[in-house]
């Protein structure tokens, strides 16, 4: 989850100004000081990672309080999520019964669910 996504989600789902008063308790980085060496280091690392692999990951981004808030908000809108139940194999398809038997690992499927809110 990016910082912007976390902030946008919480701003969107929070109804009182008091809850928005100090978002610095929700995350572990000192966002009040973007020149802080830890923030600069994280930005540099994420920029390199994004350039080389197309993704980046910020470890321990949310504080325990921030994580609890996001989890609470997700539970409150759980009935509004888009959810699909699927069955796929390790290759994310439905197998290959033409070239392999039903018991072959290529045709072993597992049920899982995916979803999003948006």
């Amino acid at each position: 989850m990016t910082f912007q996504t976390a902030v946008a989600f919480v701003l969107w789902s929070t109804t009182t100004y008091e809850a928005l008063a100090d978002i610095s308790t929700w995350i572990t980085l000192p966002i009040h000081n973007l020149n802080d060496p830890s923030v600069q280091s994280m930005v540099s690392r994420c920029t390199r990672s994004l350039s080389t692999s197309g993704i980046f990951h910020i470890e321990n981004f949310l504080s325990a309080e921030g994580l609890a808030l996001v989890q609470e908000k997700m539970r409150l809108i759980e009935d509004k999520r888009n959810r699909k139940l699927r069955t796929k194999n390790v290759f994310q398809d439905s197998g290959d019964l033409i070239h392999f038997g039903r018991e072959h690992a290529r045709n072993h499927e597992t049920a899982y669910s995916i979803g999003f809110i948006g």
Side-chain angles (χ1 to χ4, degrees):
M1 174 180 293
T2 66
F3 172 70
Q4 290 87 353
T5 303
V7 171
F9 173 77
V10 174
L11 289 174
W12 168 77
S13 61
T14 304
T15 57
T16 62
Y17 176 78
E18 292 77 28
L20 299 174
D22 185 13
I23 65 169
S24 67
T25 61
W26 303 342
I27 60 174
T28 58
L29 295 170
I31 62 165
H32 58 281
N33 180 6
L34 297 180
N35 293 320
D36 184 282
S38 65
V39 174
Q40 291 294 313
S41 173
M42 182 271 308
V43 168
S44 295
R45 184 179 48 78
C46 290
T47 301
R48 281 191 309 274
S49 178
L50 193 57
S51 294
T52 58
S53 66
I55 62 168
F56 67 90
H57 174 80
I58 303 173
E59 291 187 32
N60 302 317
F61 176 73
L62 290 176
S63 66
E65 181 181 340
L67 180 59
L69 178 67
V70 170
Q71 289 172 330
E72 173 192 349
K73 296 300 180 183
M74 295 298 280
R75 279 191 289 277
L76 291 174
I77 58 173
E78 183 175 12
D79 62 324
K80 296 181 176 125
R81 73 175 185 243
N82 295 312
R83 184 175 181 197
K84 295 189 187 270
L85 299 175
R86 302 219 170 154
T87 304
K88 299 286 182 183
N89 64 16
V90 70
F91 301 103
Q92 298 298 306
D93 64 27
S94 298
D96 182 356
L97 292 171
I98 295 171
H99 299 100
F100 303 99
R102 185 170 301 283
E103 298 302 317
H104 191 275
R106 178 74 171 82
N107 291 314
H108 177 76
E109 295 183 345
T110 302
Y112 66 97
S113 67
I114 59 171
F116 67 92
I117 296 174

